[in-house]
Amino acid sequence: MDYKISQDNLLSLDPADSLDLSRAEFAVWERYCSVYYSQAADGFHRLAGLSVLLPEGYAPFWLKQDDRLLGGVALSDSGIRNLFTIPPFEVGPGLIKRITQAMRQMGGRELPLQALDVPEGQEDAYIRAGFWPEPYRYRWMLRPTSAYTGLPEQNIICRPVEAALDSDEPRLKLEREIGLFLFKHVYGEPEKKFGIPAGIFSGIEHHEGDNPGAAAGSFSAVLSNLRKYAGYPKSALTASCLLYDAATHALIGVCLIETAEDRIPSIYVLAVHSSYRGQGLGAKMLRYVLTLLEKTGESYLRVKVMHGHPLESLCYSCGFLPGPFFNPVMTLS
C-alpha cells in the first residue's frame, strides 16, 4: 500500500506537490522510530525497556517528499500511532491531516479515526487537526530495585503467589480468592473522579488488552484475566505477593508483577482492601516486591499509571521516577 497525497498547508515542510506514504521494512523503520518518536522520552524509554512493538493490524510507513525521507508512522484501517519526523521537519496539524486523508483512501471511511499513545509534545498538533483527547493521560514510572529490611510488620503477612500445579490450564492457586478480592475492591469501587478502577494497572504494548485494567463487567471476566496472567513466565509469580491480616487471615492486598523476556518487570495490578487503605500497605507491598526483585537479580521495576490517580502519588513516594505523559486515545471529530 503506497499513497500520494496532494500538498495543502503541510506544516514545516518545504513547498512541494505531494507527500508519499510507502510501506517500510519494520527492522529499518523501528530503528528510526526508536530515535525520533517522542525524542524527549527516548532516553527514559530505552532505560525502561520500551522498544517499538506494533499491535496486530498496524503496518509501518515512511513519510517521503520527492524521495526525501521526512519521517514515519504506523497505520491501521482506523488508527495512527508512532508518528515521528526527522529534524528539521516537525509534526504539525497539516501533516496529520494529510495522513488522515490517506487513511480514508485505505477504505476506512465509515470507521472513527483514532490516534493512540500520543506523546505530550504532539497533543496540540492532533487537536488542531481535529482530534479530541481523552479526559485522562498516562505515564510510565520507573525505579531501581532495592533490598528493604524489616518486612513485613508483625500484624501483616506477605505470601508469594503460586500456580495451581494440578490444573490442565494455567491458573493461580488462590484464583477465586484473588479474583473475588479484585472484583469487589477494584472493579466494584471505581474512582468517581477518574472513572477508572481503584488500583494500579499496567499494560505493555504486546500484551495490549490482556491486563486487568481492561473493562471487566463480571467475575468471570476477572478470572479470565487472571488465567491469562497465570500463563506468564514463572518469574512473574516469584516477584508477586499477597498481603494478609495476621489476626483475621483475610486477604487485604494484591500485587501482581508482570515479566516477559527482555523486558523490565512491571506492576500488573496493585490493590489494597478498601477497609485497610490509608495505612501505608500499598507502599509496604511495593517495598516487599522491590526486595524480591533485587534478590533475583532484577535491576528495575516500572508501572503504567493514569495521571492524577491517587496511586500515582504512592509510586512517587516510593521513589519511582515519572516519565513523560501520553494520551491513550484521541478521536477525529
Side-chain angles (χ1 to χ4, degrees), residues 41 43-45 47-50 137-145 199-205 257-258 264-268 270 286 290 293 299-326:
F44 184 95
H45 278 196
L47 182 61
L50 296 176
R137 299 181 295 175
Y138 74 86
R139 72 196 325 169
W140 286 94
M141 302 181 75
L142 177 75
R143 71 147 293 157
T145 57
I200 291 181
F201 297 95
S202 179
I204 299 180
E205 289 78 3
I257 301 301
E258 180 180 29
I264 289 176
S266 302
I267 298 174
Y268 185 76
L270 186 150
L286 280 178
L290 287 165
L293 291 169
S299 299
Y300 304 99
L301 175 64
R302 62 178 185 159
V303 60
K304 184 178 182 179
V305 61
M306 297 301 176
H307 178 48
H309 193 284
L311 290 177
E312 181 184 31
S313 298
L314 167 62
C315 289
Y316 189 80
S317 70
C318 289
F320 283 76
L321 175 69
F325 290 120
F326 288 84

Side-chain angles (χ1 to χ4, degrees), residues 63-290:
L63 301 172
K64 294 182 178 180
Q65 196 172 60
D66 296 331
D67 293 326
R68 184 178 182 182
L69 184 59
L70 308 180
V73 65
L75 301 177
S76 70
D77 288 343
S78 59
I80 305 173
R81 60 187 308 137
N82 296 83
L83 173 60
F84 65 90
T85 52
I86 301 172
F89 304 111
E90 299 176 356
V91 172
L95 175 60
I96 295 171
K97 288 178 180 178
R98 301 287 73 73
I99 294 172
T100 58
Q101 289 177 2
M103 294 177 70
R104 291 306 188 195
Q105 295 174 17
M106 282 174 149
R109 294 180 181 274
E110 303 302 322
L111 298 174
L113 296 184
Q114 294 184 321
L116 306 178
D117 296 327
V118 177
E120 186 177 15
Q122 293 183 5
E123 282 186 3
D124 185 61
Y126 273 97
I127 290 172
R128 286 187 286 147
F131 284 78
W132 285 88
E134 291 288 324
Y136 59 87
R137 299 181 295 175
Y138 74 86
R139 72 196 325 169
W140 286 94
M141 302 181 75
L142 177 75
R143 71 147 293 157
T145 57
S146 181
Y148 290 88
T149 58
L151 297 173
E153 296 182 356
Q154 292 183 353
N155 61 333
I156 300 296
I157 299 174
C158 275
R159 294 176 180 169
V161 178
E162 300 178 81
L165 300 179
D166 57 347
S167 175
D168 294 333
E169 61 178 325
R171 290 192 183 186
L172 300 182
K173 188 174 182 179
L174 299 175
E175 177 187 89
R176 292 189 64 82
E177 183 177 7
I178 297 171
L180 284 170
F181 174 88
L182 295 177
F183 183 66
K184 181 176 180 180
H185 298 288
V186 177
Y187 300 112
E189 296 181 345
E191 296 283 343
K192 293 181 181 179
K193 181 177 179 182
F194 302 101
I196 55 180
I200 291 181
F201 297 95
S202 179
I204 299 180
E205 289 78 3
H206 60 296
H207 291 307
E208 201 166 287
D210 288 353
N211 65 78
S218 66
F219 177 59
S220 61
V222 177
L223 291 183
S224 176
N225 280 322
L226 284 178
R227 287 173 188 173
K228 291 177 182 178
Y229 176 78
Y232 286 0
K234 185 178 179 181
S235 55
L237 301 184
T238 303
S240 302
C241 71
L242 305 175
L243 203 64
Y244 288 86
D245 186 312
T248 65
H249 303 287
L251 179 63
I252 59 175
V254 173
C255 185
L256 302 180
I257 301 301
E258 180 180 29
T259 62
E261 186 178 358
D262 299 327
R263 307 285 285 194
I264 289 176
S266 302
I267 298 174
Y268 185 76
V269 59
L270 186 150
V272 175
H273 191 291
S274 55
S275 300
Y276 289 80
R277 292 173 190 160
Q279 302 178 31
L281 297 183
K284 286 180 171 62
M285 280 197 293
L286 280 178
R287 296 187 185 108
Y288 186 73
V289 166
L290 287 165

Side-chain angles (χ1 to χ4, degrees), residues 31-65:
R31 189 166 73 243
Y32 276 75
C33 185
S34 65
V35 173
Y36 295 113
Y37 175 66
S38 185
Q39 292 93 332
D42 184 55
F44 184 95
H45 278 196
R46 280 201 299 265
L47 182 61
L50 296 176
S51 58
V52 180
L53 296 167
L54 295 181
E56 184 178 357
Y58 281 85
F61 286 81
W62 293 122
L63 301 172
K64 294 182 178 180
Q65 196 172 60

